[in-house]
């Protein structure tokens, strides 16, 4: 069977993480994705590095996000380049961008202009804070969106200040929603034969990510989340034992579970002190302290061997070295190698979705800026068309 | 018109991951029928957060399951199974999040469903993948955060492992399942083929960390190092972090350290002119910044930094956010109503199509509330056939 999106053409003007991560997902699901990049420098994300790591002239994170794509160099302020890009757009199924409001209008590639070229295009836009409103021109940056969305009050302990998620979660969840929207747009186009506009924003996505807790907040009299006070507390709305606990040689995760059985096994006197299940939320700090005192006494493996057979939901807390060398990780085949233009290989991860029982691997590395310009000119007959 | 109008989704899943994917499909216009165990239903109905109960059930159940129908069926009873088959045979999408092997025992696994419904798009979420040594372990969010290395990215260097304080892995697995199902529906609309979509929480948790894990694969296998204070990302240099001010907190993303020094009136920061220092000496820079930013208010700092295009923001709590014009303009909330009249406020789908918000006034279903109607709608013809 073919990959789900085989035969579909995606033109990506998007930069950085959110929208390009959606492009990567569509590519892994079978679409052909062409990045339109500034001649020479290419996408701005090529220069955004983490840990100052660069490969083949672009940051390692750029390589992570943009593998499995082609690159077409075009200066959108140059009329000839713009005309070529429009030829590509006329053949495309999807286009995406994440420019700030007004930029695409100035270039002449706003939704109305593009659907005039291609009345069946699915046109996707990612913004920071939605298409309008007082924040519309504010930089759509991950940490800022985390900070403004209330998300930073959910992790860490009561005495910690606001604690961000240590990953670009707003970008990633938004990219994920954006991919959903583009796919839904393709389905809608299939029904109506008409173009579709798809919009997602970092802020709306981070609010959606909190939908369970915000719904609780809307309906509990508007109380603010109260994080536990004991180090390892894992969720402001869940009772003990939910959290991470130090053991003699590491950390143990305990999910929601059978507190009486846990108490009996560990012998820490929780039930004696707090016999009412309804009080386990209110007294979660005191309960966590009793659990901590007991669990510190033995190594993690001892607790896993004791608790797992009882059906208590627990796990060892692994660091990156332990996690990536664990048998559970290894069995997934989540790592893949992509081939760089100079022959070097780069290890990264694969698409997390399996289709028809197949893991989706793709050996193509991220392109150099404009790497495919000449080939695309030839394939789509772009130079000739313009000069005629 | 919504993109999935006329699509029927039969959802056997429980808790958050699978049902959150079904909610997305519902908001895109699909009709979603939850298959639930009689008496208890989706276990999430009684999985309370902070003891908040709404109309007899947990707040999170109501958030996840609005805009759906409920069909109560005992999958071990022949009569009930026959009725469920009537739904499954007509479904465009069938999905579940049982542990590997359970659906095979229940008889609604992909092979069995496809035999009766060849163009079905079938989705499943497991904890740790369909095979491998961990396949029978409980697929629970905190455990997945713990085994995937995720807990070493948030918090400060001396905080120990710090989980992300919501069910992030469930959310991601649900989002990935929705992507896979939608992609296969696109293929079906083009070529008529059904398909199988499999997602696991562990693969989703790894994908979530694709940037940092790729870095780990290529930096000699070093462990992530969080900063001593004000850490917001283990792999980014100063000033990236959240800082206490005289009256609150200020978030600072990327920015040149000497430029910050000038703008904030903090000459000590001029000692770091090389951009490399922003990473290599980030602990010292952050300590200096943290001390300095306490000397004035958030508003005062924003008034200096925002006009200079420094990426910064005040840190809001939900009550502050909800009152802000920037939030209110999004129309992110909606009120939905259950069939018994109970109404509650929740959020809407975060995606806009053709400039329209995807909202629905339908609340979550009571357990089995749609049995009679679904029997009449889908099962009378079958009964007639047997006559």
């Amino acid at each position: 069977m073919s990959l789900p999106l085989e035969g579909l053409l995606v033109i990506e003007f998007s930069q950085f993480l959110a929208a390009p991560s959606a492009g990567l997902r569509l590519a892994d699901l079978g679409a052909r994705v062409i990045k339109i990049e500034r001649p020479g420098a290419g996408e701005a994300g090529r220069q955004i590095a983490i840990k100052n790591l660069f490969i083949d002239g672009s940051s390692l994170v750029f390589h992570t996000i943009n593998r499995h794509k082609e690159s077409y160099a075009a200066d959108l302020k140059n009329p000839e380049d713009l005309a070529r890009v429009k030829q590509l757009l006329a053949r495309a199924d999807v286009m995406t961008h994440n420019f700030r409001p007004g930029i695409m209008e100035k270039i002449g590639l706003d939704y109305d202009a593009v659907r005039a070229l291609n009345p069946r295009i699915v046109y996707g836009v990612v913004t920071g804070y939605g298409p309008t409103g007082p924040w519309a021109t504010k930089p759509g940056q991950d940490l800022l969106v985390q900070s403004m969305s209330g998300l930073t009050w959910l992790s860490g302990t009561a005495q910690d200040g606001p604690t961000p998620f240590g990953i670009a979660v707003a970008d990633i969840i938004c990219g994920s929603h954006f991919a959903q929207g583009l796919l839904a747009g393709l389905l809608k186009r299939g029904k109506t034969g008409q173009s579709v506009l798809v919009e997602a924003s970092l802020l709306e996505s981070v609010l959606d990510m909190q939908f369970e807790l915000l719904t609780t907040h809307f309906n509990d009299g508007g109380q603010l989340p109260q994080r536990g006070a004991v180090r390892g507390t894992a969720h402001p709305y869940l009772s003990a034992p939910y959290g991470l606990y130090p053991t003699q040689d590491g950390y143990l995760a305990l999910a929601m579970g059978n507190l009486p059985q846990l108490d009996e096994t560990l012998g820490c006197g929780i039930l004696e002190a707090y016999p009412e299940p309804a009080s386990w939320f209110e007294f979660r700090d005191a309960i966590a302290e009793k659990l901590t005192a007991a669990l510190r006494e033995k190594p993690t493996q001892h607790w896993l061997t004791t608790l797992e057979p009882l059906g208590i939901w627990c796990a060892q807390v692994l660091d990156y070295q332990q996690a990536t060398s664990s048998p559970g990780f290894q069995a997934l085949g989540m790592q893949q190698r992509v081939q760089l233009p100079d022959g070097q290989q780069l290890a990264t991860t694969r698409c997390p979705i399996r289709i028809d029982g197949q893991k989706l691997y793709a050996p193509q590395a991220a392109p150099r800026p404009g790497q495919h310009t000449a080939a695309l000119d030839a394939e789509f007959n772009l130079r000739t068309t313009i000069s005629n | 018109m919504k993109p999935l109008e006329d699509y029927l989704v039969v959802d056997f899943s429980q808790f958050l991951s699978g049902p959150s994917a079904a909610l997305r499909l519902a908001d895109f216009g699909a009709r979603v029928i939850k298959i639930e165990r009689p008496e208890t239903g989706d276990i999430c109905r009684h999985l309370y957060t902070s003891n908040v109960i709404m109309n007899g059930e947990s707040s999170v159940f109501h958030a996840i399951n609005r805009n759906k129908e409920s069909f109560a069926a005992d999958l071990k009873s022949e009569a009930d199974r026959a009725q469920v088959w009537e739904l499954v045979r007509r479904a465009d999408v069938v999905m579940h999040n049982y542990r590997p092997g359970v659906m095979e025992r229940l008889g609604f696994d992909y092979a069995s469903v496809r035999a009766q419904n060849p163009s079905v798009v079938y989705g499943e979420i497991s904890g740790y993948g369909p095979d491998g040594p961990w396949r029978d372990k409980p697929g629970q969010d905190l455990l997945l955060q713990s085994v995937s290395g995720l807990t070493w990215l948030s918090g400060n260097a001396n905080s120990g492992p710090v989980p992300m304080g919501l069910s992030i892995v469930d959310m991601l697995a649900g989002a990935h399942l929705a992507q896979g199902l939608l992609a296969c529906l696109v293929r079906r609309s083009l070529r008529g083929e059904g398909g199988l979509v499999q997602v696991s929480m562990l693969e989703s948790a790894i994908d979530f960390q694709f940037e940092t894990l790729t870095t780990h694969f290529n930096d000699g296998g070093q462990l992530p190092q969080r900063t001593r204070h004000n850490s917001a990302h283990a792999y980014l240099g100063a000033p990236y972090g959240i800082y206490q001010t005289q009256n609150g907190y200020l978030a600072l993303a990327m920015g040149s350290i000497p430029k910050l020094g000038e703008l904030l009136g903090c000459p000590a920061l001029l000692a770091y002119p090389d951009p490399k220092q922003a990473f290599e000496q980030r602990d010292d820079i952050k300590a200096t910044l943290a001390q300095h930013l306490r000397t004035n208010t958030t508003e005062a700092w924003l008034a200096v930094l925002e006009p200079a295009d420094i990426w910064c923001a005040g840190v809001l709590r939900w009550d502050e956010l909800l009152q802000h014009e920037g939030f209110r303009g999004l129309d992110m909330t909606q009120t939905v109503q259950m069939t018994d009249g109970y109404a509650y406020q929740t959020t809407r789908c975060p995606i806009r199509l053709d400039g329209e918000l995807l909202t629905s006034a339908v609340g979550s279903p009571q357990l089995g509330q749609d049995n009679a109607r679904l029997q009449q709608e889908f099962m009378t013809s079958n009964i007639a056939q047997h006559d």
Side-chain angles (χ1 to χ4, degrees):
Chain A
M1 267 200 250
S2 57
L3 283 174
L5 304 182
E6 224 167 277
L8 295 176
L9 178 63
V10 179
I11 305 294
E12 177 174 291
F13 295 87
S14 306
Q15 310 199 81
F16 305 115
L17 175 52
S21 71
L24 174 61
R25 184 60 37 83
L26 300 186
D28 282 339
L29 290 169
R32 180 176 185 185
V33 179
I34 300 171
K35 288 181 84 70
I36 307 295
E37 299 196 77
R38 244 174 312 177
E43 194 211 300
R46 290 182 182 272
Q47 299 315 315
I48 307 281
I50 62 178
K51 258 185 141 182
N52 293 332
L53 290 171
F54 286 84
I55 306 257
D56 195 39
S58 296
S59 67
L60 180 58
V61 291
F62 177 85
H63 282 274
T64 308
I65 303 160
N66 293 286
R67 61 177 178 76
H68 207 180
K69 299 179 187 176
E70 297 166 55
S71 171
Y72 187 82
D75 173 2
L76 298 176
K77 288 175 185 151
N78 172 325
E80 289 186 11
D81 281 12
L82 183 62
R84 282 190 273 275
V85 166
K86 286 184 174 174
Q87 294 280 318
L88 276 176
L89 286 172
R91 310 274 284 273
D93 298 285
V94 175
M95 81 155 258
T96 72
H97 81 81
N98 62 339
F99 290 118
R100 288 202 204 176
I103 305 274
M104 273 311 208
E105 283 75 5
K106 220 180 287 176
I107 293 170
L109 293 178
D110 54 291
Y111 179 49
D112 285 335
V114 174
R115 75 171 153 171
L117 293 174
N118 179 345
R120 285 174 53 82
I121 192 102
V122 174
Y123 186 104
V125 187
V126 169
T127 61
Y129 308 88
T132 55
W135 290 336
T137 54
K138 209 176 162 55
Q141 195 282 330
D142 189 85
L143 181 62
L144 309 188
V145 174
Q146 288 198 44
S147 299
M148 292 159 70
S149 67
L151 187 71
T152 62
W153 300 100
L154 301 178
S155 308
T157 67
Q159 51 290 0
D160 291 335
T163 302
F165 283 23
I167 215 168
V169 65
D171 281 312
I172 289 170
I173 202 85
C174 177
S176 193
H177 294 161
F178 189 47
Q180 293 172 353
L182 295 171
L183 292 166
L186 285 167
L187 286 167
K188 186 171 179 181
R189 178 188 80 162
K191 286 191 161 180
T192 64
Q194 305 285 315
S195 66
V196 181
L197 174 65
V198 178
E199 294 168 286
S201 73
L202 302 184
L203 181 57
E204 285 163 291
S205 286
V206 172
L207 293 171
D208 177 71
M209 194 175 83
Q210 302 176 80
F211 81 129
E212 287 186 293
L213 307 183
L214 279 171
T215 299
T216 302
H217 174 72
F218 296 156
N219 296 281
D220 71 358
Q223 293 174 55
L224 290 173
Q226 299 296 326
R227 296 170 292 180
V230 178
R231 191 54 72 199
T233 187
H235 195 300
Y237 289 86
L238 292 177
S239 310
Y242 203 82
L244 308 183
Y245 296 87
T247 63
Q248 201 178 69
D249 62 347
Y251 293 89
L252 180 77
L254 286 173
M256 55 283 286
N258 193 327
L259 194 61
Q261 193 181 27
L262 193 61
D263 185 40
E264 191 190 320
T265 311
L266 301 177
C268 39
I270 292 167
L271 267 280
E272 204 173 46
Y274 309 102
E276 281 303 311
S279 70
W280 297 342
F281 182 75
E282 187 186 347
F283 294 105
R284 61 192 168 150
D285 289 339
I287 294 170
E289 271 167 12
K290 284 180 183 288
L291 289 169
T292 303
L295 292 165
R296 266 186 200 290
E297 295 299 313
K298 298 265 168 58
T300 306
Q301 200 52 50
H302 169 84
W303 297 122
L304 291 173
T305 316
T306 310
L307 300 177
E308 277 188 329
L310 299 174
I312 290 174
W313 287 6
C314 58
Q316 183 181 4
V317 180
L318 305 179
D319 66 25
Y320 267 18
Q321 290 167 358
Q322 295 164 326
T324 55
S325 59
S326 68
F329 182 100
Q330 295 285 334
L332 295 175
M334 261 313 270
Q335 201 190 77
Q336 67 173 340
R337 288 175 184 279
V338 296
Q339 181 93 25
L340 296 163
D342 64 3
Q344 274 191 81
Q345 289 196 336
L346 178 66
T348 184
T349 54
R350 66 163 165 84
C351 177
I353 304 167
R354 301 180 195 208
I355 301 290
D356 301 326
Q358 300 298 310
K359 297 168 190 159
L360 307 180
Y361 294 104
Q364 299 93 319
R368 289 177 175 164
Q371 184 178 329
H372 303 91
T373 307
L376 289 163
D377 280 340
E379 180 183 349
F380 290 90
N381 212 11
L382 300 177
R383 297 278 162 185
T384 349
T385 319
I386 304 301
S387 57
N388 282 348
Chain B
M1 200 213 92
K2 290 179 179 173
L4 296 186
E5 266 175 30
D6 309 326
Y7 283 73
L8 179 65
V9 177
V10 175
D11 182 12
F12 291 88
S13 66
Q14 304 193 81
F15 300 115
L16 173 56
S17 63
S20 70
L23 174 61
R24 185 57 38 83
L25 300 183
D27 283 340
F28 281 145
R31 179 174 182 185
V32 176
I33 300 170
K34 284 178 79 69
I35 307 296
E36 298 191 79
R37 200 181 316 185
E39 318 285 331
T40 49
D42 181 340
I43 297 171
C44 190
R45 288 179 180 272
H46 299 288
L47 197 68
Y48 304 118
T49 61
S50 64
N51 300 336
V52 178
I53 298 176
M54 292 160 52
N55 205 22
E57 287 172 335
S58 86
S59 55
V60 297
F61 177 82
H62 292 299
I64 304 163
N65 293 289
R66 62 177 178 77
N67 206 3
K68 299 179 187 174
E69 299 169 42
S70 168
F71 187 81
D74 175 0
L75 297 178
K76 289 176 180 149
S77 134
E78 272 314 313
D80 286 14
R81 289 168 54 83
Q83 296 194 339
V84 171
W85 268 114
E86 291 302 318
L87 296 172
V88 165
R89 261 195 283 274
R90 288 168 175 79
D92 300 284
V93 173
V94 173
M95 52 187 282
H96 75 86
N97 61 354
Y98 288 113
R99 289 190 206 184
V102 173
M103 257 323 206
E104 282 72 10
R105 284 201 294 280
L106 293 172
F108 292 96
D109 55 293
Y110 179 49
S112 308
V113 170
R114 190 178 46 174
Q116 306 262 343
N117 180 348
S119 67
V120 73
V121 173
Y122 188 99
E124 55 190 33
I125 300 182
S126 63
Y128 305 84
D131 36 44
W134 291 352
R135 59 170 251 161
D136 297 322
K137 284 183 183 290
Q140 193 283 328
D141 191 86
L142 182 63
L143 307 188
L144 265 302
Q145 290 198 40
S146 299
V147 301
S148 67
L150 190 65
T151 62
W152 299 97
L153 300 178
S154 307
N156 293 320
N158 59 358
S159 305
V162 175
M164 294 178 174
L166 55 71
S167 300
I168 183 66
V169 185
D170 280 316
M171 296 293 300
L172 291 160
H176 294 157
L177 183 69
Q179 290 176 351
L181 293 172
L182 289 163
C184 281
L185 288 173
V186 169
R187 176 173 68 180
R188 198 178 75 152
S189 75
L190 296 172
R191 294 192 274 282
E193 300 164 4
L196 172 64
V197 180
Q198 290 166 296
V199 166
S200 74
M201 295 173 72
L202 184 53
E203 284 159 292
S204 289
I206 292 166
D207 176 69
F208 182 40
Q209 301 173 76
F210 76 140
E211 290 191 310
T212 49
L213 279 170
T214 297
T215 303
H216 176 75
F217 295 153
N218 293 281
D219 70 357
Q222 293 174 49
L223 293 177
Q225 298 293 329
R226 298 165 293 182
T227 52
R228 280 201 305 269
H229 302 287
N230 310 93
S231 184
H233 195 300
Y235 291 84
L236 290 176
Y240 207 82
I242 292 180
Y243 297 85
Q244 191 161 12
T245 65
Q246 209 175 67
N247 64 341
Y249 293 91
L250 177 74
L252 279 175
M254 297 81 181
S256 145
I257 302 299
K259 189 174 172 195
L260 276 175
E262 277 171 32
L263 290 166
L264 299 171
C266 180
L269 295 178
L270 302 180
Y272 305 95
D274 183 350
K276 276 194 179 154
Q277 292 173 296
F279 187 80
E280 286 158 10
Q281 290 169 266
R282 57 188 185 158
D283 274 330
D284 297 338
I285 296 170
K286 284 183 165 188
T288 303
L289 256 176
Q291 195 178 17
H292 186 77
L293 289 169
R294 266 188 224 116
T295 62
N296 212 333
T297 62
T298 306
E299 294 73 22
W301 298 127
L302 289 172
V304 175
L305 298 174
E306 282 190 324
D309 265 333
I310 300 288
W311 289 3
C312 58
V315 178
L316 305 182
R317 298 174 192 270
W318 284 340
D319 52 346
E320 297 161 326
L321 170 76
L322 267 45
Q323 287 158 19
H324 199 286
E325 197 191 332
F327 174 83
R328 290 207 306 258
L330 291 176
D331 278 329
M332 197 61 206
T333 64
Q334 60 180 343
T335 299
V336 298
Q337 192 166 29
M338 297 174 66
T339 48
D340 66 0
Y342 181 81
Y344 59 95
Q345 197 185 17
T346 183
T347 54
R348 64 161 169 84
C349 176
I351 301 159
R352 298 167 195 236
L353 292 180
D354 291 327
E356 288 171 11
L357 306 178
L358 299 165
T359 55
S360 160
V362 178
S364 57
Q366 303 278 7
L367 176 57
Q369 73 173 28
D370 301 294
N371 276 46
R373 202 165 46 76
L374 289 167
Q375 279 158 357
Q376 194 174 22
E377 183 179 350
F378 289 99
M379 296 152 201
T380 44
S381 60
N382 182 51
I383 289 162
Q385 275 170 22
H386 286 290
D387 278 349

